[in-house]
Amino acid sequence: MKTIKQYLKFVKPYWWQIIATVLIGIVKFAIPLLTPLILKYVIDGIIDESTLSQSEKLRDLYWLMGIALTIFLLVRPPVEYYRQYLAQLVSSKILYDIRDKLFDHIQKLSLRYYSNTKTGEIISRVIHDVEQTKTFVVTGLMNVWLDLTTILIAIVIMLTMDIPLTLVAIMLFPVYGVAVKYFYGRLRRLTRERSQALAEVQGHLHERVQGMQVTRSFALEDHEQELFDDRNKNFLDAAISHTKWNAKTFAVMNTVSDLAPMLVIAFAGYQAITSSLTVGTMVAFVGYMERVYSPLRRLINASTALTQSIASIDRVFEFYNEPYDVVDRENATDIGTVQGNISIENVSFEYDKDVPVLKNINLHVQKGETIALVGMSGGGKSTLISLLPRFYDVTDGAIKVDGIDIRDVKARSLRNNIGMVLQDNILFSDSIATNIRMGNPDATMEEVVEAAKAANADGFINDLPDGYDTLVGERGVKLSGGQQQRVAIARVFLMNPPILIFDEATSALDLESEQSIQQAMEKLASERTTFIVAHRLATITHADRIVVIQNGEIQESGSHEQLMQQKGNYYDLYQVQDFNHTE
C-alpha cells in the first residue's frame, strides 16, 4: 500500500534501533518460556525421580531455583527496561519527524485549500491521527515480531517434547487465519469512518469556539446545540458500528483460543493414561499453551490496533499528499532585493474552472508609485493583490517584478520583498514584541521600539501593564482593532520591504484610529511601491493612480482629479459616499 510505503520512509532512519529493540525483546519474551521447562524438570527430574534421595532432590531443587531466580531477578529487569525505553523513544522520534514534515506541508498548502477545509480537521490529522500511527511502530514493527518469535520458540520446544501433542496444540491456527481475513478488512473501513466522523466533530467544535461571540450575540445557543448534536450523533453511530464489529471479532477469536487448551488437555490426558507421556510433560504442555495462545491473542488485539493505526496512516498521508497550487519551478532562483517596478500583463485568473474572476488585466507600476484599487465588492481587487506574492498563480498572462516573471523565482524570496497590512491582521497569542518581530525575527529590542514608534504604536504599548512584553491573547483579542493594526504596521516597518500592500487596512476602524493609522501608512509607503485596496475613497485621494476594477476588469485609471473630471464609475462611487459633491 502506498501510504504504508510512505510511512516506512519515516521509519527507515531508525531501522537499527528497531532491530535492537526487537532483539532485546526476544530475550525478554524468551525468559518466561523457561518456566514450563523448569516445572517439567521439577516434576519429572526431581519429584518423580526414584533414584535420588530426599536430600539430593532438595539440593537439585535449590540449585535450579537459584539459577532461575538469578535470571528472573538480575537479567530480566534491565532487559525489560531497555525494551520499553527504546520502543517508546524510537516511536516518539518517528512521530516527531512526521509532525515536523506535516507542519512544513501546512505552510506550503494554498489558500484555496484552507478556504475549503476546516482548521479543526487539519489539527485532528496532525495531532490525533499521527498519534494513532504510533501503534504501527510499537506493535506492527516490534511487538508483532516478538509475539511471532515467542510462538515459534514455544512450538520448537514443544516439538522436542512430543510431536503429536504439538500438532494438536496448533491445529486451530488456520481458523485464526481465516477469521482475521474475514473480520479485519471491514474493521479497517469502519475505523476510518469513525476517525473521519471524529475529525468532523473536532472541526465543527473548533469553528464554533472561534465564533462564540456570534452565537451569543444572535442567541443561537439552542440552534448550535442541535447542529453539534447532529455531528456528535454521527460520530456515535460510527463508533457503535465499529464497536459491534470489534466485539464480534474478539468473541470469535477468544472462543478459538479458549478451545485450543481444552484439546491439548484432553489429548495429553489420554496419552498420559494410555501411553508413556509423563505428568511433567503434560503440565509443561499446558503451560506452553498459555505461552503460545497468549501472544496469539495479543496478535489478534494487535490486528485491531493495527487496523485503527493503518486507517490513521491513510488519513495522515491523504493530507500529506494534498498537492500544492503554487510550486517553485526546478530552475527557480532567489530574486534578491527588488527595485519595485511591477508589470501586470494580460492577467486572467479563476478560482474554479471557467469562472473568471479577473479578465485580461494590464497594469504597469513604477518604483515608488502608489496605486489604489477601488470598486464594488467582489470586483476582484483583493484577488489581484493576492497574485503579487503568489498566494495563487495566474491562470493566464504574467506578473513581472523588475522585468522578471514571478513564477521564475522562489516564492519565499519574492515574499521577502512584500509587506502586507490586511483588514484582519492575525496576531499570535504571544507578546507584542514577538508579534512585531515577525517582520524580522533577528531584530534587536531597539529596532522593535523604533518600528513601533514609526507605526504610532509606541504610546499605547508603553501604557499597557507589561509594555512590549504584554501578551495579546489569541488573535490579538486583548487589543483594540486600531491597536492591532498599528502592531501589524510596525512589523512591516521592521521588515522594511520595497513593495507594500494595504488591503482594507482601515475600513473597520473608528475615525481617530483611522487617522493615526493613515499617518503611519503614508510614512511607511514613502519611496516604496504601494498597492492600496480601499472602500473609503477619501483615504486614497493622495494616490498617484487610482484604478477602478469592476467585474474583474479595469474600467478606469488615473489620478483623483482626472477621474473626477471624467465623471465615470469613480465619480459615481465618490458621490455615493457623500464626500465632495464636485460637479
Side-chain angles (χ1 to χ4, degrees):
M1 287 173 20
K2 180 181 176 182
T3 56
I4 300 297
K5 289 180 179 178
Q6 285 185 284
Y7 193 87
L8 289 176
K9 289 181 181 178
F10 287 93
V11 174
K12 188 176 180 180
Y14 303 98
W15 269 119
W16 285 111
Q17 290 99 314
I18 291 174
I19 291 172
T21 305
V22 171
L23 292 175
I24 293 172
I26 289 173
V27 176
K28 179 241 177 176
F29 281 103
I31 291 174
L33 293 177
L34 296 173
T35 302
L37 284 178
I38 293 171
L39 189 58
K40 170 179 166 53
Y41 182 75
V42 168
I43 294 173
D44 292 341
I46 298 178
I47 296 174
D48 287 346
E49 183 54 64
S50 57
T51 61
L52 296 177
S53 65
Q54 183 180 34
S55 60
E56 288 174 328
K57 290 180 179 181
L58 289 174
R59 180 200 64 199
D60 289 351
L61 179 64
Y62 293 153
W63 270 106
L64 177 63
M65 297 314 298
I67 295 171
L69 287 173
T70 299
I71 294 173
F72 278 88
L73 290 178
L74 297 182
V75 177
R76 194 162 190 260
V79 168
E80 174 71 27
Y81 169 79
Y82 282 108
R83 194 200 78 84
Q84 291 288 348
Y85 172 74
L86 287 174
Q88 295 300 319
L89 178 67
V90 171
S91 59
S92 296
K93 284 184 176 181
I94 292 171
L95 265 56
Y96 168 85
D97 291 344
I98 292 173
R99 287 198 178 105
D100 207 44
K101 283 290 186 182
L102 285 177
F103 188 75
D104 180 64
H105 178 64
I106 285 171
Q107 297 188 96
K108 293 177 181 177
L109 284 171
S110 68
L111 298 184
R112 192 196 311 267
Y113 178 81
Y114 291 111
S115 65
N116 296 324
T117 309
K118 290 183 178 180
T119 304
E121 184 165 341
I122 296 173
I123 293 172
S124 176
R125 298 200 187 205
V126 176
I127 303 301
H128 173 73
D129 284 314
V130 170
E131 190 65 29
Q132 287 288 93
T133 69
K134 187 175 186 177
T135 304
F136 180 78
V137 180
V138 175
T139 301
L141 300 180
M142 298 180 189
N143 290 354
V144 165
W145 299 109
L146 295 178
D147 287 329
L148 287 173
T149 303
T150 301
I151 293 170
L152 184 61
I153 294 173
I155 290 175
V156 169
I157 295 173
M158 292 161 67
L159 285 170
T160 62
M161 291 190 291
D162 192 289
I163 293 177
L165 193 54
T166 303
L167 296 176
V168 171
I170 64 174
M171 66 184 299
L172 292 181
F173 276 20
V175 178
Y176 264 92
V178 173
V180 166
K181 184 175 181 180
Y182 175 74
F183 282 103
Y184 285 99
R186 184 178 176 187
L187 190 62
R188 180 182 178 186
R189 178 177 61 81
L190 292 173
T191 301
R192 185 178 175 84
E193 290 174 359
R194 187 186 67 170
S195 296
Q196 180 60 34
L198 179 61
E200 289 174 4
V201 172
Q202 185 166 342
H204 182 81
L205 182 62
H206 183 273
E207 190 174 57
R208 264 41 184 189
V209 168
Q210 284 189 322
M212 190 57 67
Q213 188 174 356
V214 176
T215 301
R216 295 275 178 85
S217 63
F218 286 94
L220 293 173
E221 287 87 349
D222 292 340
H223 174 71
E224 287 298 326
Q225 185 67 51
E226 291 178 7
L227 292 178
F228 182 78
D229 286 346
D230 287 343
R231 287 163 176 78
N232 204 20
K233 179 66 164 53
N234 183 46
F235 171 65
L236 176 63
D237 292 341
I240 290 174
S241 297
H242 178 273
T243 300
K244 282 182 178 178
W245 194 254
N246 201 31
K248 290 178 183 178
T249 303
F250 275 97
V252 172
M253 298 302 182
N254 288 332
T255 298
V256 174
S257 63
D258 289 340
L259 283 175
M262 297 297 102
L263 293 175
V264 168
I265 291 172
F267 190 69
Y270 173 79
Q271 279 191 311
I273 294 170
T274 61
S275 61
S276 59
L277 185 72
T278 64
V279 175
T281 300
M282 178 180 176
V283 171
F285 251 90
V286 174
Y288 276 117
M289 289 305 296
E290 177 61 26
R291 298 306 189 276
V292 168
Y293 279 89
S294 180
L296 197 57
R297 273 192 289 268
R298 285 199 300 269
L299 284 173
I300 301 306
N301 294 338
S303 298
T304 303
L306 281 173
T307 300
Q308 296 173 356
S309 182
I310 291 171
S312 290
I313 287 175
D314 289 342
R315 283 173 45 78
V316 167
F317 284 95
E318 179 184 53
F319 174 60
Y320 185 74
N321 293 329
E322 186 69 34
Y324 305 134
D325 281 355
V326 177
V327 181
D328 289 336
R329 293 172 175 172
E330 289 186 9
N331 58 349
T333 58
D334 286 326
I335 196 170
T337 302
V338 304
Q339 295 297 311
N341 299 300
I342 297 175
S343 295
I344 300 174
E345 302 173 356
N346 302 314
V347 164
S348 296
F349 178 76
E350 52 191 41
Y351 291 106
D352 300 310
K353 189 171 178 59
D354 299 325
V355 184
V357 179
L358 297 175
K359 309 165 192 172
N360 198 36
I361 298 291
N362 285 278
L363 187 62
H364 300 280
V365 184
Q366 300 299 314
K367 170 187 175 182
E369 195 174 3
T370 296
I371 304 295
L373 305 176
V374 301
M376 300 297 289
S377 295
K381 306 181 299 297
S382 294
T383 298
L384 178 59
I385 62 169
S386 70
L387 298 177
L388 295 177
R390 288 189 69 198
F391 292 155
Y392 304 93
D393 273 336
V394 300
T395 305
D396 289 303
I399 297 177
K400 296 180 180 179
V401 175
D402 296 344
I404 303 172
D405 191 325
I406 60 175
R407 291 169 294 184
D408 292 331
V409 301
K410 294 178 180 177
R412 289 179 65 178
S413 72
L414 172 68
R415 292 167 192 161
N416 284 335
N417 288 278
I418 301 175
M420 302 188 70
V421 181
L422 310 177
Q423 178 180 350
D424 183 20
N425 283 286
I426 302 298
L427 300 185
F428 295 101
S429 54
D430 214 317
S431 69
I432 289 177
T434 300
N435 274 284
I436 293 176
R437 274 200 181 93
M438 290 185 66
N440 179 6
D442 298 323
T444 64
M445 194 61 207
E446 290 74 16
E447 291 171 327
V448 170
V449 173
E450 285 301 314
K453 288 179 178 178
N456 293 334
D458 183 65
F460 87 79
I461 293 174
N462 285 321
D463 289 338
L464 295 172
D466 297 315
Y468 283 84
D469 293 325
T470 300
L471 301 179
V472 301
E474 187 173 4
R475 297 177 67 91
V477 68
K478 295 182 181 179
L479 301 180
S480 69
Q483 290 171 337
Q484 291 179 30
Q485 288 295 69
R486 277 176 274 179
V487 170
I489 292 173
R491 62 189 180 195
V492 177
F493 265 113
L494 197 61
M495 181 183 180
N496 193 28
I499 302 171
L500 294 176
I501 294 175
F502 297 121
D503 188 3
E504 303 286 2
T506 64
S507 63
L509 304 177
D510 58 76
L511 187 59
E512 183 179 352
S513 295
E514 182 181 23
Q515 290 175 344
S516 176
I517 290 171
Q518 193 71 33
Q519 292 172 1
M521 287 169 55
E522 290 178 9
K523 187 190 303 182
L524 180 59
S526 177
E527 299 182 5
R528 304 175 200 266
T529 303
T530 305
F531 290 85
I532 303 174
V533 175
H535 277 116
R536 297 184 188 179
L537 302 187
T539 64
I540 50 88
T541 56
H542 66 284
D544 297 311
R545 256 189 299 166
I546 298 171
V547 178
V548 181
I549 298 180
Q550 301 276 29
N551 300 318
E553 298 178 297
I554 293 179
Q555 301 290 337
E556 298 173 357
S557 178
S559 68
H560 171 72
E561 291 76 15
Q562 290 170 338
L563 295 180
M564 290 299 289
Q565 289 174 4
Q566 290 179 19
K567 293 189 177 182
N569 290 333
Y570 178 79
Y571 176 85
D572 293 338
L573 288 171
Y574 202 85
Q575 293 301 316
V576 168
Q577 293 193 11
D578 196 29
F579 287 121
N580 299 314
H581 295 281
T582 305
E583 296 296 325

